[in-house]
């Protein structure tokens, strides 16, 4: 089925089965490999992208339901104010270890800050507990979200 | 950071700088060949200065460092460049990094004699070789400049890729003298820097691998993309050791995008235009399995087998004093501790991309064992080793899972049946159910107490000998040196001390290394027993340990600082406790205090974690902190949830809903204090995983009085009103 989506601000047309999850369209058809496969059942958050600014798990999101919607991935989130702040805080505080889950972590954090510019610990827990990090970077993720929210420079 | 995956020119030309053998105090002393080669004159044919396998400088001054160890999150793509750049006086911010190609000779870890990243050996083993490599290259560049200027090398200084002759004010970049330097013979016995002059080592320099990890540019093995590639996913027989009986692929072949069904003897793969087609095709297959001899194995049999084995006498790994006399002195206590199978669950599932051509095989993956992958792939491909090209990548977690070549071997077998390149991705379910599991272990301890001190200590480990399969020279006289690591060198001063090992291979279930390796089991059992003995002796757990750590001053100092920083001894609310773990493994000395609460239902929550680490010179102190924070969470995840169970020869868990991970809302602040030290660097990546479980268990013991002796934590034993 021919589908057109706006991805990171650009219109992209492609052929894909309607039930194909957005994750595999991004990775295997469009070559945007920054969005990661972790579990396939929306349990780990590695595949998180934004649809119209909201964080969603792309591994269970059929692309057929998305025609005309606007998708932001890790490759494009730096162009958003919240995304840029999150990326900077992530580097300032050296959040990342292996980094495989961090595309998803950054997308979840950027969506959180867009909706809730000054999140408290419970806001962070609610927004981020769907994202697993096997390297265990949670302490720094929490600190980096707070830094990104405050605009404080390291 | 830019990383290029393939670099055959250096593998042909360059050699490891000499003078590196021996002299390391390492936890592993393996009877394998040394990998260190004598100094060879550099080859200048490509116009680059390449004095050894790790450093290349071209005439523009571009400096490329080839990484002999792989980056899987532990920060080695920053710590190794720090070590080389320190002695080379390169500009660390400007270096380019490359993944090493397969070569045990050039890139073998000096401890193993193999190109393997594991056992917290990277910085420990390469510390001196890479400092020497950097210093030797620097000396050659200085020599070239000094010859051009007709001055003495000793009157020249270097900084950030530039040579200065202060007396005349002249300067030359490394690039300007690269060609001349490449014609010089490498000098021997080049002096290394005085640590007081370090500009990179010991500093929390920014990681070189992370800028590309915030914007999706970093390339992991699973991200390899090639023109005209296909995508495949696999189903292996759910029963260990089972085979394919027959496959009905009628429905699968009707799935849009499915190109091929590959039936191998033990697994089936579907190849398609994308992963979704492959996965839908796989789901549409009807596979009949010949389940084989393991179809009835269950966890009860696994444990019965292990418990029976642990009752036998083992091979003696160490014996000091007179254990019979020791065990006949004072009051005797016995306890046994049991740990479950664990999967690795790297966030990046197993994956490999392979392009089979008639006369060559090219592989794109992320592995901890680059050279072994090449050798095993060659066997599977039916090609000579030199016809197999391995492009290694960043790893989305390793934790020991990618010390096995199975994913690449399977991908080669599938690629042999596929035209063009094929990327094989394991679903999470296949990844969890076809792991090499951290073995079940049972540790039986008999100890005697007299006057509040331990007089006799008999410790018996029963469990899988991973080394016997993975590195046979390390399995000798019935002793697996990994399985007894931390048991034979426990830190406490005990006059009569005896350690035995019983090899017990679990029925059906394959076993492998898991973060923390052998000490992950032994530190748990030792530290749990220490708390139980402290209680028998009527002593505070820290005070009890303090009396036996006189010969381990670094560990004692770490424990005292951890007690101070954690408020050890200060009052706590009901059902809240503090637990301690001290560990001297991997030449790093760590003391950890966990404060935890147990609610009336037995649910456990973490309140505070404090860890003090003396790892010698911390090459990158911020990475050390990060590894402790993350390692603790890795270990605590296992303590709270980790349990792979077997039924009908199959693993019962399949994904993160039933193989649970700690999440951000369960993790308190983790405070790590790094002790300043001038000792050589210790290992760090494994350590945190070992500190968490015993410290948590001891906190629960303090909070409830329940002495848990199995993991994961059994909440039902902790509910109010239950007796353990």
């Amino acid at each position: 089925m021919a589908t057109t989506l706006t991805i990171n601000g650009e219109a992209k047309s492609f052929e894909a089965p309607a039930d194909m999850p957005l994750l595999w369209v991004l990775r295997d058809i469009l070559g945007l490999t920054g969005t990661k496969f972790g579990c396939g059942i929306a349990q780990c958050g590695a595949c998180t992208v934004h649809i119209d600014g909201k964080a969603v798990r792309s591994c269970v999101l059929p692309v057929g339901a998305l025609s005309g919607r606007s998708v932001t991935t890790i490759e494009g989130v730096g162009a958003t104010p919240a995304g840029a702040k999150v990326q900077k805080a992530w580097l300032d505080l050296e959040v990342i270890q292996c980094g495989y889950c961090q595309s998803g972590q950054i997308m979840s954090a950027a969506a959180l800050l867009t909706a809730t510019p000054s999140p408290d610990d419970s806001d962070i827990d609610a927004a981020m507990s769907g994202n697993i990090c096997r390297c265990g970077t949670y302490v720094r993720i929490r600190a980096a979200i707070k830094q990104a929210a405050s605009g404080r420079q390291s | 950071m830019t990383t290029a995956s393939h670099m055959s020119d250096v593998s042909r030309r360059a050699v490891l700088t000499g003078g590196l053998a021996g002299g390391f105090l390492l936890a592993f002393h393996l009877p394998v060949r040394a990998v260190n080669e004598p100094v060879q004159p550099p080859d200048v044919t490509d116009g680059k200065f390449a004095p050894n396998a790790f450093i290349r400088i071209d005439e523009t001054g571009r400096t490329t460092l080839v990484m002999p160890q792989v980056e899987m999150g532990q920060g080695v793509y920053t710590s190794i460049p720090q070590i080389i750049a320190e002695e080379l006086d390169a500009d660390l911010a400007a270096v380019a990094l490359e993944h090493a190609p397969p070569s045990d000779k050039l890139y073998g870890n000096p401890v193993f004699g193999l190109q393997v990243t594991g056992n917290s050996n990277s910085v420990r083993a390469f510390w001196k070789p890479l400092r020497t490599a950097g210093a030797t290259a620097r000396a050659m560049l200085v020599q070239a400049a000094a010859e051009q200027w007709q001055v003495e090398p000793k009157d020249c200084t270097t900084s950030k890729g530039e040579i200065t002759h202060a007396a005349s004010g002249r300067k030359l970049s490394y690039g300007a003298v690269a060609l001349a330097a490449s014609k010089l013979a490498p000098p021997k016995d080049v002096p290394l820097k005085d640590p007081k002059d370090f500009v990179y080592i010991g500093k929390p320099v920014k990681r070189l691998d992370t800028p590309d990890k915030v914007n999706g540019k970093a390339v992991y093995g699973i991200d390899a993309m090639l023109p005209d590639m296909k995508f495949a996913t696999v189903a292996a027989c759910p029963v260990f050791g089972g085979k394919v009986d027959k496959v009905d692929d009628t429905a699968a072949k009707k799935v849009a995008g499915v190109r091929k069904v590959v039936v191998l003897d033990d697994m089936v793969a579907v190849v398609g235009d994308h992963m979704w087609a492959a996965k839908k095709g796989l789901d549409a297959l009807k596979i009949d399995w010949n389940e084989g001899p393991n179809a009835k194995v269950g966890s009860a049999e696994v444990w019965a087998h292990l418990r029976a084995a642990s009752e036998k006498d083992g091979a003696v790994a160490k014996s000091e004093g007179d254990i019979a006399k020791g065990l006949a002195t004072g009051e005797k206590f016995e306890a046994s501790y049991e740990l479950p199978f664990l999967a690795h669950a790297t966030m990046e599932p197993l994956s490999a991309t392979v392009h089979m051509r008639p006369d060559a095989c090219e592989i794109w993956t992320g592995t901890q064992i680059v050279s072994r992958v090449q050798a095993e792939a060659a066997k599977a491909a039916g090609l000579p080793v030199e016809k197999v090209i391995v492009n290694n990548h960043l790893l989305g977690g390793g934790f020991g899972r990618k010390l096995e070549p199975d994913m690449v071997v399977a991908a080669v077998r599938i690629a042999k049946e596929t035209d063009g390149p094929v990327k094989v991705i394991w679903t999470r379910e296949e990844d969890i159910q076809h792991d090499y599991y951290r073995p079940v272990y049972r540790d039986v301890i008999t100890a005697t107490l007299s006057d509040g001190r331990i007089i006799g200590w008999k410790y018996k480990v029963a469990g899988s000998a991973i080394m016997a399969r993975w590195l046979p020279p390390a399995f000798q006289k019935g002793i697996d040196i990994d399985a007894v690591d931390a048991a034979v060198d426990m830190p406490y001063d005990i006059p009569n001390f005896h350690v035995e090992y019983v090899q017990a291979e679990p029925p059906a279930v394959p076993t492998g290394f898991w973060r923390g390796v052998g000490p992950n089991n032994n530190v748990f059992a030792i530290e749990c027993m220490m708390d139980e003995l402290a209680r028998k002796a009527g002593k505070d757990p820290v005070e009890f340990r303090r009396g036996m750590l006189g010969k381990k001053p670094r560990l004692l100092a770490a424990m005292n600082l951890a007690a101070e920083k954690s408020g050890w001894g200060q009052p706590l609310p009901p059902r809240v406790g503090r637990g301690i773990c001290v560990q001297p493994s991997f030449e790093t000395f760590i003391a950890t205090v966990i404060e935890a609460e147990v609610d009336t239902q037995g649910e456990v929550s973490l309140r505070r974690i404090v860890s003090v680490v003396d790892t010698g010179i911390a090459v990158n102190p911020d990475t050390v902190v990060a590894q402790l924070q993350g390692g603790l969470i890795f270990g605590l995840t296992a303590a709270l949830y980790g349990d792979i169970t077997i039924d009908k020869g199959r693993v019962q868990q399949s994904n993160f809903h039933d193989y649970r991970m700690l999440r951000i809302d369960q993790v308190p602040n983790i405070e790590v204090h790094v002790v300043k030290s001038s000792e050589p660097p210790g290992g760090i990546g494994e350590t945190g995983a070992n500190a968490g479980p015993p410290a948590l268990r001891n906190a629960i013991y303090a909070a409830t009085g329940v002495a848990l002796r199995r993991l994961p934590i059994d909440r039902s034993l902790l509910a109010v009103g239950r007796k353990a």
Side-chain angles (χ1 to χ4, degrees):
Chain A
M1 168 183 132
T3 304
T4 301
L5 292 181
T6 302
I7 298 180
N8 299 327
E10 280 182 52
K12 297 271 184 190
S13 297
F14 50 86
E15 283 286 330
D19 64 346
M20 183 168 178
L22 176 63
L23 169 67
W24 300 114
V25 173
L26 292 171
R27 289 184 58 84
D28 294 355
I29 296 179
L30 301 174
L32 292 168
T33 55
T35 303
K36 301 305 190 202
F37 167 56
C39 69
I41 57 169
Q43 284 284 309
C44 80
C47 66
T48 305
V49 300
H50 296 173
I51 304 285
D52 299 331
K54 295 207 167 57
V56 296
R57 312 299 182 212
S58 67
C59 73
V60 291
L61 196 64
V63 74
L66 296 176
S67 200
R69 307 286 288 276
S70 177
V71 179
T72 304
T73 71
I74 188 68
E75 288 89 349
V77 77
T80 69
K85 274 194 271 185
V86 169
Q87 287 175 328
K88 181 177 185 311
W90 248 239
L91 293 175
D92 284 348
L93 298 188
E94 291 288 16
V95 168
I96 300 169
Q97 294 186 28
C98 91
Y100 191 81
C101 76
Q102 297 293 345
S103 295
Q105 304 279 2
I106 288 167
M107 296 308 289
S108 290
L112 166 65
L113 289 184
T114 300
T116 311
S118 298
D120 61 18
D121 278 339
S122 65
D123 296 326
I124 294 173
D125 284 348
M128 303 303 296
S129 61
N131 289 80
I132 292 172
C133 174
R134 195 73 172 116
C135 298
T137 63
Y138 300 129
V139 172
R140 292 180 184 215
I141 287 173
R142 185 182 298 281
I145 289 173
K146 289 181 178 177
Q147 174 171 314
S150 71
R152 179 167 51 86
Q153 304 296 303
S154 67
Chain B
M1 182 186 76
T2 52
T3 51
S5 318
H6 185 218
M7 200 204 52
S8 58
D9 58 328
V10 165
S11 65
R12 282 197 304 274
R13 167 171 37 82
V15 293
L16 190 67
T17 297
L20 318 175
F24 301 105
L25 280 170
L26 294 161
F28 274 57
H29 298 280
L30 301 185
V32 293
R33 69 181 176 81
V35 292
N36 307 299
E37 297 287 320
V39 172
Q40 300 287 331
D43 179 341
V44 297
T45 52
D46 64 356
K48 285 177 189 147
F49 174 56
N52 53 58
F54 311 108
I55 299 169
R56 286 182 291 153
I57 302 174
D58 71 16
E59 289 173 86
T60 70
R62 180 180 169 83
T63 301
T64 302
L65 305 180
V66 184
M67 299 292 98
Q69 302 278 271
V70 306
E71 178 59 66
M72 45 191 173
Q74 81 281 38
V76 79
Y77 272 26
T78 307
S79 52
I80 281 181
Q82 281 180 269
I83 294 168
I84 300 174
E86 181 69 65
E87 297 287 350
L88 179 60
D89 270 338
D91 181 358
L92 184 64
V95 299
L97 307 182
E98 282 188 1
H99 306 297
S103 172
D104 287 339
K105 182 178 160 192
L106 297 177
Y107 301 110
N109 184 295
V111 176
F112 293 104
L114 295 169
Q115 191 175 4
V116 51
T117 304
N119 198 53
S120 291
N121 273 337
S122 297
V123 166
R124 284 193 291 166
F126 278 104
W127 167 246
K128 187 133 181 275
L130 292 181
R131 288 182 70 194
T132 303
T136 304
R138 175 191 169 277
M140 294 165 77
L141 293 159
V142 168
Q143 177 72 32
E147 284 179 9
Q148 187 174 325
W149 289 330
Q150 300 288 298
V151 301
E152 289 296 317
K154 68 176 172 53
D155 297 326
C156 299
T157 58
T158 50
S159 175
K160 292 198 171 179
E162 195 170 63
I163 306 150
T164 300
H165 183 249
S168 61
R170 285 175 289 186
K171 288 176 186 287
L172 278 171
S173 75
Y174 282 2
V177 295
L179 186 62
S182 70
K183 293 172 179 162
L184 300 171
K188 292 191 176 168
D189 304 322
V190 177
L192 302 179
K193 274 189 187 175
D194 186 318
K196 74 174 168 44
D197 298 324
F198 285 163
V199 295
Y200 297 129
I201 292 171
K203 309 290 192 291
V205 305
K206 302 306 280 183
R207 286 179 67 135
L208 302 179
D209 59 328
T210 48
D212 281 353
K213 290 178 174 177
V214 299
N215 57 23
K217 284 186 187 157
V219 181
Y220 301 82
I222 201 171
D223 298 330
M225 292 295 274
L226 299 166
D228 302 319
M229 77 189 299
K230 300 292 179 213
F231 300 79
T233 194
V234 298
C237 182
V239 176
F240 292 112
K243 303 287 182 194
V244 177
D245 183 11
K246 61 177 190 288
V247 177
D248 176 352
D249 62 8
T250 316
K253 283 189 165 164
K254 289 180 185 156
V255 172
V258 167
R259 298 293 165 185
K260 183 152 195 175
V261 176
V262 177
V263 180
L264 302 171
D265 69 330
D266 57 346
M267 64 174 69
V268 184
V270 175
V271 180
D273 292 342
H274 39 67
M275 177 66 174
W276 185 240
K279 188 171 184 312
K280 278 187 78 181
L282 198 75
D283 292 344
L285 285 178
K286 282 198 283 191
I287 309 172
D288 290 334
W289 301 102
N290 175 359
E291 296 182 350
N294 295 320
K296 289 182 179 162
V297 172
S299 286
E301 182 187 341
V302 167
W303 282 104
H305 177 266
L306 180 62
R307 286 172 189 144
S310 73
E311 299 303 320
K312 297 178 194 159
D313 288 337
V316 177
K318 192 165 188 180
S319 202
E320 289 177 349
D322 182 339
I323 191 61
K325 194 173 138 199
L327 292 183
T329 307
E331 199 180 350
K332 192 189 297 193
F333 302 96
E334 184 170 316
S336 59
Y337 299 90
E338 295 180 342
L339 295 183
F341 288 124
L342 295 172
H344 297 80
T346 57
M347 288 309 295
E348 178 188 20
L350 300 186
S351 172
T353 297
V354 178
H355 190 183
M356 275 297 298
R357 302 185 200 94
D359 59 345
C361 173
E362 187 162 5
I363 294 162
W364 295 259
T365 194
T367 178
Q368 296 174 248
I369 42 158
V370 190
S371 58
R372 185 171 285 186
V373 155
Q374 183 190 37
E376 294 298 320
K379 282 186 219 163
L383 289 169
V385 166
E386 62 273 16
K387 296 292 184 190
V388 176
I389 299 161
V390 183
N391 304 283
N392 207 16
H393 290 74
L394 296 169
L395 279 70
F399 315 126
R401 178 62 183 95
K402 291 158 188 176
L403 289 170
E404 305 293 344
D406 58 314
M407 66 188 185
V408 175
V409 170
V412 168
R413 293 165 68 206
I414 294 161
K416 284 170 82 173
E417 310 291 325
T418 309
D419 291 330
V422 59
K423 170 153 63 180
V424 186
I425 296 176
W426 276 249
T427 61
R428 177 61 62 192
E429 290 80 5
E430 287 288 316
D431 176 283
I432 296 270
Q433 297 190 332
H434 298 283
D435 201 338
Y436 285 78
Y437 300 87
R438 198 291 300 276
V440 288
Y441 285 108
R442 185 165 200 259
D443 310 306
V444 182
I445 308 176
T446 311
T448 51
L449 278 177
S450 181
D451 292 332
R453 289 183 63 87
I454 302 174
I455 305 301
W457 174 275
K458 183 181 176 192
Y459 185 99
K460 182 161 55 179
V461 191
S464 179
I466 303 168
M467 281 289 184
R469 172 181 65 83
W470 194 89
L471 191 62
F475 182 74
Q476 292 187 344
K477 297 178 181 167
I479 307 290
D480 182 304
I481 61 169
D482 174 61
V484 299
D485 193 1
V488 291
D489 47 6
M490 65 183 253
Y492 304 110
D493 192 9
I494 297 171
N496 305 291
F497 174 81
H498 183 88
V499 178
E500 292 180 11
Y501 171 68
V502 180
Q503 182 181 8
E505 300 302 336
V509 182
T511 60
F513 298 113
W514 193 88
R515 190 175 188 179
V517 287
N520 185 264
N521 167 50
N522 294 319
V523 170
F524 179 75
I526 292 166
E527 289 300 288
C528 290
M529 186 65 168
M530 291 303 288
D531 264 37
E532 293 192 43
L533 292 173
R535 188 165 292 207
K536 302 286 186 199
K539 288 195 175 181
D540 170 83
V542 167
E543 192 55 40
F544 182 65
R545 285 172 173 80
R546 197 174 278 140
M548 290 178 285
L549 285 175
K551 291 179 181 168
K552 294 283 177 187
R554 293 171 70 188
L555 190 58
L556 178 60
M559 185 181 75
N560 287 336
L561 186 58
E564 180 196 323
K565 296 287 185 187
S566 65
W568 186 267
Q570 287 171 18
L572 290 169
R575 290 181 71 82
V576 176
R578 291 188 192 92
I580 189 149
C581 166
V582 305
Q583 56 186 93
S585 316
F586 311 101
E587 296 173 89
T588 292
F589 302 87
I590 299 177
T592 302
V593 175
I594 290 181
E595 192 178 301
E597 179 167 9
V598 184
D599 73 13
T600 55
Q601 304 301 306
E603 192 47 65
V604 176
S605 54
L606 301 162
R607 286 167 50 106
R608 191 180 173 203
I609 304 176
V610 176
S611 209
V612 174
V613 52
D614 175 354
T615 188
I617 293 170
V619 171
N620 190 323
D622 189 58
T623 299
V624 169
V625 172
Q627 283 302 294
L628 256 292
Q629 290 172 330
L632 281 158
I633 290 172
F634 198 90
L636 290 167
T637 295
L640 287 164
Y641 300 118
D643 199 6
I644 289 290
T645 56
I646 311 297
D647 184 42
K648 299 189 174 76
R650 300 155 160 82
V651 166
Q652 291 181 283
Q653 293 70 33
S654 64
N655 206 321
F656 293 124
H657 65 289
D658 57 7
Y659 192 67
R660 287 182 63 184
M661 300 291 137
L662 268 180
R663 292 172 183 266
I664 194 170
D665 56 334
Q666 299 167 282
V667 173
N669 192 35
I670 302 176
E671 195 181 314
V672 178
H673 302 272
V674 181
V675 174
K676 283 243 182 241
S677 169
S678 55
E679 298 290 330
I684 204 70
E686 310 280 5
T687 59
N690 301 349
L696 174 61
R697 179 272 187 188
N698 287 341
I700 292 167
Y701 188 36
T704 64
V706 178
L708 296 173
R709 289 176 177 170
R710 298 193 79 194
L711 291 181
I713 287 160
D714 182 348
R715 277 80 167 168
S716 73
L717 300 176
L718 303 176
V720 169
R722 275 295 300 266
K723 275 239 175 243

